[in-house]
Structure formats: structure tokens, C-alpha cells
Amino acid sequence: MIKHKENELRELLLPYVHTFTERKYDVERDDIESLIRFASSFGVLDIVIEEAKHHAGKGYENRPNAFWEFLKLIPDGVPPGQEDILEDLENDAED
């Protein structure tokens, strides 16, 4: 089921792959894959899919940062069950 949702999101986001005049807005396939991994890890795939559907066909050409707005749907912190990663990073910073 998760793979199906990831594929659905991938299809919705592929039209955002584009090179813009201002390179800071460029979207590459790797960016899409990262967003999908984050959404899946944080359990917000459905939310991102619904938002992507809502914005489908609205023309990213006039809104170059449209793809990057989806990142706001990803919660801060670390994904559930991966808190030990944050603890390891904090311990490394203390050393």
C-alpha cells in the first residue's frame, strides 16, 4: 500500500522537474525522491498527495517555488522510531 502511494505521489510530482532561470528553484528527480522518502518516513504521504492533487495543473512556470512549498508539509524533527539518530547526533556534537 505504501509503495502504491509513493508511486502515486511520484507521478503527481514529476511535472515539477524543471530547470528555472534562477537555479535555486530547480527541481531534479532526486528532489522528488527525497520528498517522497520524507513524507513516507513521517507518515504524511496522504497529506502530500492531497496537496499535490490540489495544485495539479496550476502551472509551476509562474510559481517556481511551488514544489518547494510541499516541504512545509513535512514535520520538523526526526521520523517516529528514529529518535536514536537525533541522540547520536547530539552525542557527537558534545564530543
Side-chain angles (χ1 to χ4, degrees):
M1 181 67 161
I2 290 177
K3 286 293 181 196
H4 173 72
K5 289 182 180 188
E6 288 176 352
N7 288 335
E8 180 181 3
L9 182 55
R10 187 174 290 107
E11 290 301 315
L12 289 166
L13 296 177
L14 279 175
Y16 288 93
V17 173
H18 189 75
T19 301
F20 292 93
T21 305
E22 292 186 57
R23 293 203 38 88
K24 68 180 180 179
Y25 296 124
D26 288 358
V27 178
E28 298 178 6
R29 190 169 178 112
D30 286 346
D31 299 320
I32 289 173
E33 295 304 321
S34 292
L35 178 61
I36 291 168
R37 276 193 311 278
F38 291 143
S40 185
S41 295
F42 280 98
V44 294
L45 270 172
D46 290 330
I47 294 168
V48 180
I49 287 170
E50 288 307 311
E51 193 66 19
K53 284 180 180 178
H54 177 73
H55 290 285
K58 292 191 177 176
Y60 63 83
E61 303 87 2
N62 298 324
R63 296 177 49 241
N65 66 331
F67 170 82
W68 301 105
E69 293 292 316
F70 294 125
L71 287 176
K72 293 179 179 178
L73 302 171
I74 307 298
D76 290 335
V78 296
Q82 297 183 15
E83 292 84 2
D84 56 326
I85 295 172
L86 186 59
E87 290 174 14
D88 290 345
L89 290 174
E90 290 172 353
N91 290 339
D92 288 346
E94 292 175 1
D95 292 340

